[in-house]
Amino acid sequence: IVKRDARRAAEMLLKAYRAGSETAREDLIKRPETWRSKTRIEMQTLLKLWGFYDGANTGFIDKSTRAALDAFARATPPR
């Protein structure tokens, strides 16, 4: 059995988003429920830690979360 790790999933999701993955972008913007609430909260936590998000860590992909995702993608070039 593999233990679920919301932090690791959030890191991978953000990495894919930053790299321009259409699947990651569509999942987060159009179908956020694809990802568990804990993963979305961890994603907001990481964006906040890195200085891109200043909203509440609710797990909802709202306007401020989308703005943080876009700022993160623009500010951090893919590697």
Side-chain angles (χ1 to χ4, degrees), residues 16-67:
Y17 190 93
R18 177 184 66 201
S21 166
E22 284 302 316
T23 301
R25 290 174 184 269
E26 285 188 22
D27 280 356
L28 280 172
I29 304 306
K30 297 179 182 176
R31 295 181 301 276
E33 69 281 352
T34 300
W35 295 91
R36 295 177 63 224
S37 176
K38 287 182 181 182
T39 300
R40 296 189 311 263
I41 289 169
E42 284 296 328
M43 183 191 64
Q44 289 171 324
T45 300
L46 289 170
L47 289 169
K48 186 177 285 190
L49 179 69
W50 298 333
F52 294 99
Y53 182 65
D54 62 2
N57 296 344
T58 62
F60 294 106
I61 308 302
D62 55 12
K63 188 176 182 177
S64 61
T65 304
R66 289 191 300 273

